[in-house]
Amino acid sequence: MEMSMEKPHVAFLSSPGMGHITPLFELAKRLVLHHGFQVSFLVITTEASAAQTEFFVSSTNDFPPDLHIINIPPVDMSPILTPDMFVLTTLCLIVQESLKPLKNIILELPNRPKALVIDIFCTQAIDVCRDLDIGVYSFFTASTLLLAFSLYLPTLDREMEGEYVDLPEPIQVPGCSPIRTQDLLDMVKNRKIDEYYWYFLHVSRLCSVSGIFANTWDDFEPKSLKALRENEFYRSIQTPPVYPIGPLIKQEEVVTKQDAQILAWLDDQPLNSVLFIAFGSGGTVTSEQLIELAYGIEMSKQKFIWVVRKPSDASASASFFSSGSEENDPSIYLPKGFFERTQKQGILVSSWAAQVAILGHKSTGAFLSHCGWNSSLESMVHGLPMIAWPLYAEQRQNATMLAEEFGLALKPEVVNGKNVIGRKEIENVIRLIIESDEGVKLREMARAMMESSKKALSDGGSSFNALNTMVNMWKTHE
Ligand code: UDP
């Protein structure tokens, strides 16, 4: 590997999963392409999903020469992982084992990086970098409201007994919008299990980094950003400077032959007429819910593209480590005849689609999404309203924010206290978002958000300036 001695060098490290890799990678590319940096991007290869492997293999040809991919050797996790482990516990154990040789990997880089940028689940790197005298920066890839909550969590943990979900009132995060207990992220819903242990461990180290990048922008989350900058609580815990540099979304993606066919089909559809349906890199619904969703889509008679996955009655994140590869024959679990009846109405995609290309197409009119943070940003950047269908992690919080605070999304209701959204309700929200005046209003809000995001990223905009501040610091400090 050839590295220029003059160009400033920064290293990146993300936990597995496209939701975290994508924004870190976009930041890395920006440093190389717009700011003259060289970057070493360290990739955890253990148990990588097909989507992740495909991303690094297929895009390698297009990487700029100063962006170096360094694969961390895979480790055998079979003595450590058990099938009943939840997704965050599994992920954190993979990271912990994979990072054991981190010090040597950094020492073997052709020249010493000025900084290491990590995502929230790689905080083991903080001690390693302290030994090597390298500054560590965190890239928080979810909302700033969740960042604020996460910074507050150690205090909440100290001051409160019992479960947070049992609190009678919403949680008042200092300076931010209150979070309803039912919207709390899954990892903090049971303080006695490993999911909580891992989340707590990583967020409790947030204040020991030199700075935190946030995938947001000033005009989008002003309240939470102001709180982090000015509220007494965050000062008292010595919150590092927060740099809102977003929205950083995937700029280009792997477009397979199948994706090309989908885009060609979209070319033939009317403007804003198609609903795109996808649940992120790992989201799955139950078999009962999948049937209702299928009927709801069919009954709406609206055009659709649906990334459909095998249902799971055990976990809403069942596909996290297999996204893009799982065996999948929709005819087994979709209603009988669905495929035949909807042939003219829409397209089923198995497991994985070129989401950004689809969202960016003029015929796409709305996005039914699990409200992962990247998907939410991708929708906003393309001015699309959403049907919010949160499944796990912090997605309920995102859905509430998008629907109630920003008026960008409709939230289908679960009726009769059941845990399933019925077909009639699904039909209604799809019609509303694609065909009604309410849909037009939501689209206008989404368009306004798109303009606001463009402004933030353009020359002199808030996100542009926040990144420049960091870039200049890295360029001038030895
Ligand atoms: N994604 C995609 N095709 C799919 C499903 C997901 O390209 O069929 C991408 C999507 O564009 C986004 C990422 O995977 O960039 C998912 O990230 P998000 O934060 O929305 O959800 P997560 O996967 O972390 O739950």
Side-chain angles (χ1 to χ4, degrees):
M1 177 173 40
E2 295 254 331
M3 275 199 175
S4 141
M5 296 307 284
E6 296 96 58
K7 291 187 170 179
H9 176 207
V10 170
F12 278 70
L13 170 66
S14 168
S15 61
M18 292 317 293
H20 286 205
I21 290 172
T22 301
L24 267 77
F25 197 74
E26 284 304 323
L27 175 57
K29 269 195 336 205
R30 239 157 242 246
L31 291 178
V32 170
L33 294 173
H34 302 174
H35 299 282
F37 278 61
Q38 49 186 326
V39 166
S40 301
F41 200 93
L42 277 45
V43 179
I44 294 179
T45 53
T46 306
E47 314 260 328
S49 67
Q52 176 184 322
T53 310
E54 178 72 14
F55 173 78
F56 283 110
V57 172
S58 325
S59 358
T60 310
N61 299 339
D62 307 328
F63 289 163
D66 283 320
L67 181 45
H68 305 278
I69 304 298
I70 317 273
N71 285 321
I72 299 180
V75 282
D76 176 15
M77 293 301 294
S78 55
I80 297 167
L81 299 182
T82 56
D84 57 338
M85 277 174 181
F86 289 114
V87 70
L88 183 66
T89 304
T90 308
L91 181 115
C92 289
L93 286 168
I94 290 172
V95 169
Q96 176 153 287
E97 292 305 305
S98 300
L99 293 191
K100 285 186 174 159
L102 181 65
K103 190 170 184 175
N104 281 339
I105 292 172
I106 295 178
L107 285 171
E108 280 165 15
L109 295 173
N111 62 50
R112 197 169 150 277
K114 287 198 171 237
L116 177 72
V117 181
I118 59 172
D119 80 324
I120 185 63
F121 300 128
C122 288
T123 62
Q124 287 89 348
I126 297 174
D127 284 344
V128 173
C129 286
R130 189 170 294 138
D131 280 358
L132 298 173
D133 200 21
I134 294 170
V136 180
Y137 293 78
S138 178
F139 190 156
F140 196 82
T141 55
S143 73
T144 308
L145 177 58
L146 184 67
L147 170 60
F149 172 80
S150 303
L151 287 160
Y152 178 50
L153 188 63
T155 307
L156 197 62
D157 184 82
R158 235 185 357 260
E159 292 178 350
M160 215 201 105
E161 304 266 323
E163 295 296 348
Y164 310 131
V165 280
D166 295 333
L167 285 170
E169 300 289 331
I171 295 189
Q172 186 52 67
V173 182
C176 300
S177 305
I179 301 176
R180 290 197 291 252
T181 52
Q182 64 267 34
D183 288 345
L184 278 175
L185 89 156
D186 288 336
M187 292 82 177
V188 303
K189 282 189 163 165
N190 181 349
R191 292 169 74 178
K192 294 183 239 23
I193 65 171
D194 286 349
E195 293 289 275
Y196 184 74
Y197 165 83
W198 284 110
Y199 194 77
F200 184 85
L201 174 90
H202 287 298
V203 298
S204 61
R205 293 173 177 164
L206 261 172
C207 285
S208 47
V209 298
S210 306
I212 303 173
F213 292 109
N215 205 359
T216 192
W217 65 102
D218 273 356
D219 288 342
F220 173 41
E221 288 191 278
K223 191 170 173 182
S224 306
L225 285 167
K226 185 168 190 279
L228 291 178
R229 287 178 187 134
E230 295 172 14
N231 185 285
E232 191 43 46
F233 169 76
Y234 300 101
R235 286 176 191 227
S236 74
I237 60 165
Q238 297 183 338
T239 302
V242 175
Y243 302 94
I245 55 167
L248 289 189
I249 67 153
K250 214 177 353 171
Q251 290 302 310
E252 66 273 324
E253 60 193 345
V254 183
V255 176
T256 61
K257 220 165 133 192
Q258 177 184 253
D259 292 317
Q261 283 165 355
I262 294 171
L263 295 172
W265 178 83
L266 271 172
D267 288 342
D268 292 336
Q269 308 307 319
L271 186 71
N272 296 332
S273 67
V274 178
L275 177 71
F276 178 58
I277 304 157
F279 296 111
S281 42
T284 48
V285 297
T286 62
S287 15
E288 190 185 357
Q289 184 61 82
L290 194 85
I291 298 281
E292 292 304 308
L293 182 55
Y295 278 120
I297 293 168
E298 185 182 343
M299 283 153 53
S300 78
K301 300 200 168 57
Q302 303 304 313
K303 300 278 169 130
F304 70 87
I305 297 168
W306 182 7
V307 182
V308 68
R309 299 216 171 99
K310 204 157 63 173
S312 166
D313 294 336
S315 160
S317 54
S319 294
F320 192 86
F321 291 103
S322 58
S323 49
S325 70
E326 63 266 42
E327 274 195 23
N328 188 9
D329 176 4
S331 67
I332 296 172
Y333 50 76
L334 285 175
K336 205 160 174 293
F338 177 85
F339 192 67
E340 292 73 22
R341 291 193 303 274
T342 57
Q343 254 183 358
K344 292 220 168 70
Q345 190 186 340
I347 298 187
L348 291 175
V349 190
S350 178
S351 306
W352 196 260
Q355 176 164 308
V356 168
I358 293 172
L359 294 177
H361 196 286
K362 63 181 184 355
S363 301
T364 306
F367 183 17
L368 189 158
S369 165
H370 74 314
C371 299
W373 195 244
N374 294 286
S375 294
S376 306
L377 294 177
E378 288 162 10
S379 201
M380 277 181 250
V381 165
H382 294 101
L384 288 178
M386 294 165 79
I387 296 176
W389 194 296
L391 293 172
Y392 63 98
E394 91 296 5
Q395 294 153 13
R396 279 174 299 274
Q397 194 182 304
N398 297 343
T400 298
M401 185 166 153
L402 295 168
E404 295 172 21
E405 208 166 314
F406 300 115
L408 296 168
L410 293 177
K411 245 191 192 172
E413 297 291 330
V414 177
V415 268
N416 300 336
K418 281 180 69 184
N419 229 355
V420 174
I421 303 170
R423 60 190 74 176
K424 192 75 201 142
E425 171 71 1
I426 298 167
E427 177 196 349
N428 285 343
V429 284
I430 297 178
R431 283 182 185 279
L432 270 178
I433 208 152
I434 298 284
E435 298 189 311
S436 77
D437 289 347
E438 197 173 338
V440 173
K441 266 195 220 130
L442 287 165
R443 185 159 303 119
E444 277 167 11
M445 292 302 287
R447 288 269 152 85
M449 215 39 113
M450 174 176 87
E451 292 308 324
S452 158
S453 73
K454 273 191 202 155
K455 195 170 143 216
L457 289 171
S458 62
D459 206 338
S462 61
S463 296
F464 178 94
N465 289 343
L467 181 57
N468 265 356
T469 307
M470 263 326 302
V471 162
N472 291 336
M473 213 136 83
W474 280 332
K475 279 188 171 166
T476 48
H477 287 73
E478 270 315 304

